[in-house]
DNA sequence: CCACTGATTCAAGCTACTCGAACAAAACAC
DNA sequence: GTGTTTTGTTCGAGTAGCTTGAATCAGTGG
């Protein structure tokens, strides 16, 4: 979704703190001055923010250089324990990113929507709105459609009723009948495509990870620029690669 | 490193936000009302905080219940990667788990406490409270004591002053003098034992990974049921095994 | 030695965070 | 069914406390 979950009056202080974390995630390390330039506020303010975060071990200070603290793992673990799939999928996703050099996502279904639980980027992978923890409409992207198609019909209907079929690009499927046709096609071939339905110029393939009842517990997708993901690469090579991986994960999940 | 991080004028807003995360870590899930009772502030304030955090995927809202979001993993991974030790230790820890069939942990020191940066479980390994990212008192477990004993005396004193010696089981060392004796013993033999000092019925051995100055940069431990970890296995075999591994890691860390 | 860059402190001003009241919606009692 | 209670949510107003810029240290290089 990237529907900005517009909160009424967000607390600016919290958002700025998150901005610091984001910057450190991207740059690994930063000084007060460097962060000040990024945040566009007084240096003393940045200083106070970073000291406060460091005092709580969210940041670690070393010789005036700040980094993210490992305490985040503490919180992350709690959140991750909801998804057994994570441990199984992570190494495969990393491998796929290495191999395809594109962006790989692993997503699960939760309350009729998708959650990106892990992503890895290959050498040439594109940056989109997507990020770990983001929640999406299932019908808007490849992994989501792969999941949707491998749910019981009743659950699909329920999901559509509950969330509707909001559009995102002109290509997004917003018609119920059209979506059902698409679902049938996905079921036949075993995986889903995304032709600029979530982001203009972006193509993707998604394959479902299924349990012993052939019901989806998640999905993995490869996405990249439409110019690169086309022809036999998109139609044959990537699907074959993906199907092998999701099969393996599915088996490992069934026999721990 | 990691001296008392007494910050001059901490930003209250940030500290309260962290308080929310802490509460959710402990309770897994909470509503606005529940959190308000905990935070002791206006309900509208809590509401605004949680909405802001949720808008940034740090929290996930479901039917008025909030949980920690997996976005924390995003940050946690970055933080873990800064410990070069992780890459070096992970394969050895996996091997040890395979070989001993018990639970293996790798921990490092941060801010006078230990952080479990990686764990692997063997065929028969036990489940305890411990998990990746978990923060512990150094004096309460084998790996922690191994680290503690291989720090400069000044830093040991500082750590004890800052965190005290809280108990956990009746066996936990809570007396300063007794701890210093234990430290001497650990220094003599080169590794530490844990006799039900962290969990009743659990024994463990921990050996420090040291740098060229013989200062600990981390530790590895083997833990299992007291009934299985005893006698020569506990006293001789496991320590020998551990020492070989930590030596190797130490050397690899020194000569990358 | 001085100039320069960076972190850190502090008083003062004003932003924006907190509060409480009011509203809507749901759950529950009777 | 109606009233009662308990949720989450919105909004105006007031002031706590966040932001700021200048001043002070600390460390580097010329």
């Amino acid at each position: 979704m990237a529907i900005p979950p517009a909160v009424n009056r967000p607390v600016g202080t919290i958002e700025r703190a998150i901005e610091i974390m984001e910057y450190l995630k991207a740059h690994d390390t930063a000084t007060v001055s460097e962060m000040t330039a990024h945040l566009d506020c007084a240096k003393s303010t940045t200083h106070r923010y970073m000291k406060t975060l460091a005092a709580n071990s969210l940041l670690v200070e070393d010789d005036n250089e700040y980094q993210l603290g490992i305490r985040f793992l503490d919180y992350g673990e709690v959140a991750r324990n909801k998804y057994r799939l994570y441990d199984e999928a992570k190494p495969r996703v990393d491998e796929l990113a290495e191999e395809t050099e594109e962006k790989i996502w692993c997503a699960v279904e939760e309350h009729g929507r998708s959650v990106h639980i892990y992503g890895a980027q290959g050498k040439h992978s594109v940056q989109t709105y997507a990020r770990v923890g983001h929640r999406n409409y299932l019908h808007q992207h490849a992994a989501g459609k792969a999941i949707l198609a491998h749910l019981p019909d009743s659950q699909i209907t329920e999901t559509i009723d509950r969330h509707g079929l909001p559009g995102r690009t002109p290509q997004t499927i917003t018609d119920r009948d059209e979506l059902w046709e698409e679902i049938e096609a996905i079921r036949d071939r075993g995986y889903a495509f995304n032709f600029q339905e979530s982001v203009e110029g972006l193509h993707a393939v998604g394959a479902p990870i299924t349990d012993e009842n052939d019901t989806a517990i998640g999905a993995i997708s490869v996405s990249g620029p439409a110019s690169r993901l086309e022809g036999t690469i998109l139609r044959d090579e990537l699907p074959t690669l993906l199907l092998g991986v999701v099969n393996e994960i599915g088996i490992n999940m069934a026999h721990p």
Side-chain angles (χ1 to χ4, degrees), chain A residues 38-197:
Chain A
H38 176 68
L39 286 186
D40 189 35
C41 67
K43 191 166 60 170
S44 52
T45 302
T46 314
H47 175 255
R48 213 148 84 84
Y49 270 64
M50 293 177 89
K51 278 291 187 204
T52 304
L53 289 167
N56 290 88
S57 303
L58 291 186
L59 264 46
V60 171
E61 184 185 359
D62 245 339
D63 197 30
N64 287 339
E65 292 275 334
Y66 290 82
Q67 295 185 323
L68 290 174
I70 200 155
R71 190 197 294 221
F72 281 108
L73 283 178
D74 223 3
Y75 300 122
E77 279 290 313
V78 175
R80 190 217 311 216
N81 285 339
K82 284 194 297 192
Y83 309 104
R84 264 188 58 225
L85 179 56
Y86 179 87
D87 294 312
E88 210 59 63
K90 182 181 186 306
R92 319 288 173 183
V93 169
D94 287 336
E95 281 169 27
L96 278 173
E98 180 83 19
E99 203 167 332
T100 63
E101 305 191 340
E102 302 287 358
K103 182 89 197 186
I104 316 289
W105 280 109
C106 177
V108 298
E109 183 268 349
E110 191 171 89
H111 299 290
R113 309 194 54 189
S114 71
V115 184
H116 286 56
I117 63 171
Y118 185 68
Q121 37 200 9
K123 213 177 290 177
H124 302 113
S125 62
V126 294
Q127 283 289 358
T128 69
Y129 61 91
R131 59 185 177 188
V132 172
H134 246 202
R135 327 197 104 215
N136 253 324
Y137 291 98
L138 290 171
H139 70 286
Q140 287 184 348
H141 59 119
K145 291 198 295 182
I147 293 174
L148 198 59
H150 292 81
L151 291 178
D153 282 9
S154 58
Q155 204 172 335
I156 298 176
T157 308
E158 190 182 297
T159 298
I160 301 176
D161 288 345
R162 178 150 164 213
H163 298 291
L165 297 174
R168 186 175 177 84
T169 70
Q171 284 76 31
T172 311
I173 298 174
T174 55
D175 179 76
R176 287 178 92 104
D177 294 337
E178 197 182 330
L179 182 61
W180 276 107
E181 278 173 36
E182 172 81 350
I183 286 172
E184 285 305 330
I186 295 169
R187 283 173 172 172
D188 283 345
R189 73 167 96 91
Y191 47 90
F193 291 110
N194 167 356
F195 297 110
Q196 314 195 41
E197 294 158 43

Side-chain angles (χ1 to χ4, degrees), chain A residues 207-233:
Chain A
I209 299 161
T210 52
D211 62 16
E212 50 276 8
N213 305 319
D214 209 36
T215 298
I217 56 179
I220 293 190
S221 69
V222 187
S223 51
S227 56
R228 211 155 57 210
L229 263 59
E230 54 157 11
T232 54
I233 292 184

